Amino acid sequence: MRLWGRARAVRRRMLCLWLLLLALALVTLTLSDRLYRDQNHQKAPRPPRRPLQRVPSPPDLEVIVDSRDPALELDVGLSPLTSLQEDQLLFVPSTQGSKNPPQRKGSYKVLLPGANRDTTVPAPLTHGEMGKAVRLKLEGLERDMELSAVQKYGFNEVVSERISLHRRLPEARHPACSGEQYSESLPSASIVICFHDEAWSTLLRTVHSVLDTVPRQHLREVLLVDDLSQHGHLKSVLSEYVAHLDGVRLIRSTKRLGVGGCRSLGAARAAGEVLVFMDSHCECHSGWLEPLLERVAQDRTRVVSPIMDVIDWQTFQYNATQWPVRGVFDWRLDFHWESNPRLLEKEPDSAVQPVRSPALGGGVLAIDRHFFQSVGAYDPGMLLWGAEQIELSIRVWSCGGSMEVVPCSHVAHLDRHHLPYRLPDQELLQKNKIRIADTWMDAYRKIFYRRDTLAHFIRQSESPNITERLRLKKNLGCRNFHWFLTTVFPELYIPQDRPALSGELYNVGTGSCADFPRGQGLQGGAMNIAPCSGTGNQHCDLNSMGEVRWGPMGALCFDAKGERVVLSPCPAHQPTNSKLQWKFIKLSGQLVHLQSQLCVEAVKEGGLPQSDGGQGGEVNTPTSERGLFLRSCTHHPRQQWHFEQLVAPKGA
Ligand code: UDP
Ligand code: MN
């Protein structure tokens, strides 16, 4: 009995102990859960992360929570960084293009889920049929993938994915470049690469190409600046990848800054003596950096660019650009590279000698860090994208600096089919151009507004806030636009835009305007007629030399070829050749070709041939063609013209 009683007491004590332990465990659990939830309440909820297969070392990642200059910010209503859905990505090890860090430390290829998922159930096939069907299916899938890649990125990312991240470009430099010597003690460079939703392959190829071509002693850092990208592959995977690349840093902005703002942010964080801004889809030639650094080291106010070769957006084929080349802009404030191979015949030295350039493109640009800051960085008032390189160019020249293209330096840029991001505002580019016109162009800005009437009308309803920039201009003692035109860019034709002798050339008989279809090339082609656009892109200017100047550059002139009116490059000096001279008779509205004394007539499709047309034994043009023809002068409405002024010469 006693034994039984003792055993019962022991069992009861054991039970109590168990109960006590259980209660303790429960209390601990509840407390830790509360604590965990409290902690997490303070943070934004995070999507569950897929575990990666290796434990990375802490990435060299600096997240900039607030950009320091509030003027740099641009609220375009994008969701914040935390909205990214990293859990929607699959990470698989990639063997592609793997050299140094990627192979050694593991690299990733990012697959978007559902990109090539097929849900249809195929019918049973014979062996031969199966091979063919599978091939066709695969080809179809590939086409679909390529199409959607082009839509997403503005280039064929499927092709880009197949190309090594370390591809070497063929030699493009002039043989004389190999004899060039560069100083041993060049300044250090920070390569600043801003990106917004760039594709993985092109971004990483840019980074590797810099690392593969720049000698370590010249490279202070590669600074990647994420301009609030939304694509998941640019988030933690990129941070981890970059953490394993020596000399590469990544910073992120939580505000969408746009090209100029993002570059200014990168510049503020960069440590190198020379800043090299580079687009996030470039490939460098070996030896590209030294010639640039050398020129900047010799004169810290010099801003330089390599020759920009072209990567095809469809095939990723590399195309070398013909030199000498320089950057220019037109009266619509659009930028162009201008290649002038004939200069080489006259000046053989131009194969290796830097070419002074009125403007430089944004693709790659090297500038002394202190000079960049002192000249006013990028204009913080410029929105997201467009014309920021023209603003910088005019400012650098006008405020004491200079620009040039260095021919022994080549970098290839991917010329996209379209921008991969949507601009939140249709008029954004015009607004940037308005800032340039009002800040820098003085009275010459009217020439711009006549050729971009959308900008003119926007400007009439709102003025840009350029007070700060005008103050900067004054403080720096910058020169005026007349100086720029006469000293830096004397080749740019200055339109006269005389009242009633400039504007859209309106034809009374057809109710259409003289037009030159885009894509006919810069060397000219046949003039046509089209509905009047009202945008300013059909603007022409009959000047006091009798030339009818066409196009935003004013570099193409009305010319006669047989009985057709065509465009030809305008002569550099006053035309002595009356073939290029015209007279406008205001009373009758006739536009007369001086040499032939024939009148310009607009012909629509199916227009009747004139028996007396085409004097001088020239071949008659088939009647099915439309365009501007030279015919014997009559008073037919199709020979009556007037210059429609969209923007009054004295306005805006
Ligand atoms: N970019 C950016 N933020 C933007 C738009 C563009 O950082 O809001 C980057 C873009 O990724 C590229 C560079 O700025 O590296 C220049 O833009 P883009 O290549 O689209 O200009 P393009 O070469 O077409 O003139
Ligand atoms: Mn670009």
Side-chain angles (χ1 to χ4, degrees):
M1 266 310 273
R2 268 184 55 200
L3 257 178
W4 185 80
R6 276 226 335 244
R8 217 169 50 172
V10 168
R11 226 181 297 152
R12 205 179 301 139
R13 236 177 279 151
M14 284 287 284
L15 196 71
C16 282
L17 202 73
W18 273 114
L19 278 173
L20 199 74
L21 274 171
L22 204 69
L24 245 168
L26 269 173
V27 168
T28 321
L29 258 174
T30 323
L31 272 177
S32 69
D33 187 43
R34 280 275 299 271
L35 204 71
Y36 175 75
R37 263 193 265 162
D38 283 352
Q39 272 179 354
N40 272 345
H41 258 284
Q42 286 155 20
K43 287 189 207 155
R46 275 213 265 159
R49 286 189 54 175
R50 218 170 271 270
L52 295 173
Q53 293 195 333
R54 66 195 165 85
V55 182
S57 56
D60 180 14
L61 172 71
E62 191 186 342
V63 176
I64 294 178
V65 180
D66 282 310
S67 56
R68 292 184 302 178
D69 182 354
L72 286 175
E73 297 169 6
L74 188 90
D75 186 6
V76 290
L78 290 170
S79 43
L81 212 61
T82 42
S83 71
L84 294 161
Q85 306 201 331
E86 290 174 55
D87 55 334
Q88 287 187 350
L89 295 168
L90 297 169
F91 307 128
V92 296
S94 161
T95 47
Q96 192 190 47
S98 45
K99 225 170 113 187
N100 306 348
Q103 199 175 46
R104 195 158 28 89
K105 297 182 175 167
S107 71
Y108 302 100
K109 184 169 143 190
V110 179
L111 296 180
L112 291 172
N116 54 1
R117 204 177 289 152
D118 188 9
T119 50
T120 54
V121 183
L125 296 171
T126 65
H127 191 70
E129 277 175 343
M130 196 132 74
K132 195 174 163 207
V134 166
R135 209 177 53 243
L136 285 175
K137 188 114 215 154
L138 283 176
E139 280 170 9
L141 272 176
E142 197 153 307
R143 255 196 318 275
D144 289 352
M145 280 170 71
E146 289 189 9
L147 274 176
S148 71
V150 169
Q151 256 167 11
K152 183 170 175 189
Y153 293 113
F155 58 84
N156 194 337
E157 210 267 334
V158 175
V159 171
S160 172
E161 259 270 308
R162 292 198 200 109
I163 296 169
S164 164
L165 295 182
H166 299 269
R167 95 159 155 176
R168 269 181 185 278
L169 300 178
E171 183 59 77
R173 288 169 294 183
H174 193 277
C177 290
S178 58
E180 292 285 290
Q181 300 279 317
Y182 304 105
S183 154
E184 285 288 300
S185 55
L186 290 171
S188 65
S190 286
I191 319 289
V192 178
I193 303 173
C194 282
F195 62 95
H196 176 78
D197 284 347
E198 185 61 69
W200 177 264
S201 58
T202 40
L203 178 64
L204 269 299
R205 198 174 296 116
T206 309
V207 173
H208 282 297
S209 134
V210 170
L211 295 176
D212 292 347
T213 53
V214 172
R216 285 302 305 185
Q217 71 269 27
H218 302 324
L219 185 68
R220 178 64 194 247
E221 70 206 327
V222 175
L223 184 57
L224 290 171
V225 191
D226 176 9
D227 189 14
L228 195 67
S229 293
Q230 299 291 293
H231 291 173
H233 63 260
L234 299 172
K235 296 300 148 191
S236 61
V237 198
L238 181 67
S239 306
E240 285 167 25
Y241 189 97
V242 163
H244 295 291
L245 295 178
D246 227 13
V248 184
R249 283 205 301 145
L250 170 64
I251 62 175
R252 301 188 191 268
S253 168
T254 53
K255 301 263 164 32
R256 176 80 179 274
L257 299 173
V259 184
C262 181
R263 288 179 168 196
S264 292
L265 176 64
R269 302 288 164 141
E273 290 170 77
V274 174
L275 303 167
V276 181
F277 297 114
M278 181 178 284
D279 272 13
S280 47
H281 34 253
C282 288
E283 290 177 57
C284 310
H285 271 271
S286 59
W288 67 280
L289 185 65
E290 294 90 329
L292 300 181
L293 293 181
E294 175 98 358
R295 294 299 290 174
V296 177
Q298 285 168 3
D299 178 350
R300 297 292 179 145
T301 66
R302 224 178 241 157
V303 182
V304 300
S305 159
I307 290 187
M308 300 303 297
D309 299 325
V310 175
I311 302 167
D312 185 276
W313 64 270
Q314 268 172 309
T315 60
F316 270 69
Q317 215 166 13
Y318 159 81
N319 298 301
T321 298
Q322 274 203 306
W323 66 85
V325 66
R326 61 177 199 158
V328 294
F329 58 86
D330 60 35
W331 287 107
R332 281 174 76 89
L333 296 180
D334 285 322
F335 176 84
H336 313 273
W337 288 113
E338 185 183 78
S339 198
N340 185 5
R342 269 173 300 167
L343 187 70
L344 198 59
E345 293 156 21
K346 274 196 285 173
E347 295 171 31
D349 261 6
S350 63
V352 290
Q353 284 306 312
V355 178
R356 270 163 61 95
S357 190
L360 290 177
V364 176
L365 196 85
I367 183 168
D368 178 81
R369 186 160 57 90
H370 294 295
F371 180 65
F372 175 75
Q373 298 300 356
S374 67
V375 84
Y378 277 96
D379 177 357
M382 299 284 271
L383 308 171
L384 287 189
W385 179 93
E388 64 287 318
Q389 78 276 34
I390 295 176
E391 195 277 337
L392 180 71
S393 302
I394 301 176
R395 179 156 44 86
V396 161
W397 275 112
S398 310
C399 311
S402 64
M403 288 192 149
E404 61 185 35
V405 179
V406 182
C408 289
S409 169
H410 277 251
V411 175
H413 171 259
L414 173 63
D415 277 4
R416 288 192 282 217
H417 172 253
H418 60 260
L419 287 182
Y421 32 86
R422 253 180 291 140
L423 300 176
D425 180 349
Q426 292 281 312
E427 296 159 354
L428 191 135
L429 180 58
Q430 266 72 29
K431 288 180 181 164
N432 285 350
K433 290 178 174 182
I434 289 170
R435 285 188 74 80
I436 300 176
D438 285 20
T439 314
W440 297 105
M441 291 172 75
D442 314 319
Y444 289 97
R445 69 182 180 279
K446 289 173 196 163
I447 300 174
F448 158 68
Y449 285 120
R450 283 187 208 112
R451 283 156 185 78
D452 191 336
T453 53
L454 178 57
H456 168 73
F457 293 119
I458 296 170
R459 174 68 182 81
Q460 284 204 317
S461 60
E462 60 185 74
S463 329
N465 182 355
I466 51 170
T467 324
E468 276 304 312
R469 299 312 274 182
L470 290 178
R471 186 173 303 143
L472 174 87
K473 187 178 170 181
K474 190 158 170 256
N475 291 344
L476 293 176
C478 306
R479 294 188 160 100
N480 63 24
F481 202 61
H482 180 76
W483 175 87
F484 179 86
L485 287 177
T486 48
T487 316
V488 180
F489 198 7
E491 301 82 7
L492 182 65
Y493 167 72
I494 301 172
Q496 297 175 353
D497 286 350
R498 297 180 296 173
L501 293 170
S502 65
E504 286 182 344
L505 190 52
Y506 173 79
N507 181 259
V508 176
T510 58
S512 315
C513 278
D515 189 63
F516 184 65
R518 272 171 146 251
Q520 278 211 42
L522 287 172
Q523 292 310 305
M527 281 301 296
N528 213 329
I529 50 164
C532 301
S533 74
T535 60
N537 69 347
Q538 292 168 332
H539 184 101
C540 56
D541 167 36
L542 173 55
N543 64 22
S544 53
M545 296 175 301
E547 297 167 324
V548 181
R549 293 270 185 163
W550 182 270
M553 208 109 203
L556 292 174
C557 277
F558 271 28
D559 189 5
K561 189 174 181 192
E563 62 168 3
R564 289 212 74 145
V565 179
V566 298
L567 288 182
S568 298
C570 302
H573 306 289
Q574 177 122 11
T576 45
N577 174 4
S578 58
K579 198 163 157 280
L580 292 167
Q581 290 178 305
W582 308 77
K583 195 169 109 189
F584 184 63
I585 303 168
K586 279 185 192 158
L587 261 180
S588 61
Q590 287 164 319
L591 184 59
V592 186
H593 183 227
L594 276 193
Q595 190 187 54
S596 64
Q597 289 296 309
L598 295 173
C599 281
V600 179
E601 179 169 316
V603 176
K604 276 193 166 173
E605 271 111 334
L608 290 173
Q610 277 206 352
S611 51
D612 53 354
Q615 279 183 5
E618 300 285 359
V619 184
N620 268 351
T621 313
T623 53
S624 60
E625 275 193 83
R626 56 151 68 196
L628 303 192
F629 289 81
L630 289 178
R631 298 277 155 84
S632 300
C633 296
T634 67
H635 288 288
H636 196 285
R638 285 200 306 266
Q639 289 192 10
Q640 282 174 31
W641 302 89
H642 38 92
F643 288 93
E644 296 269 347
Q645 296 261 340
L646 300 163
V647 177
K650 294 209 179 337

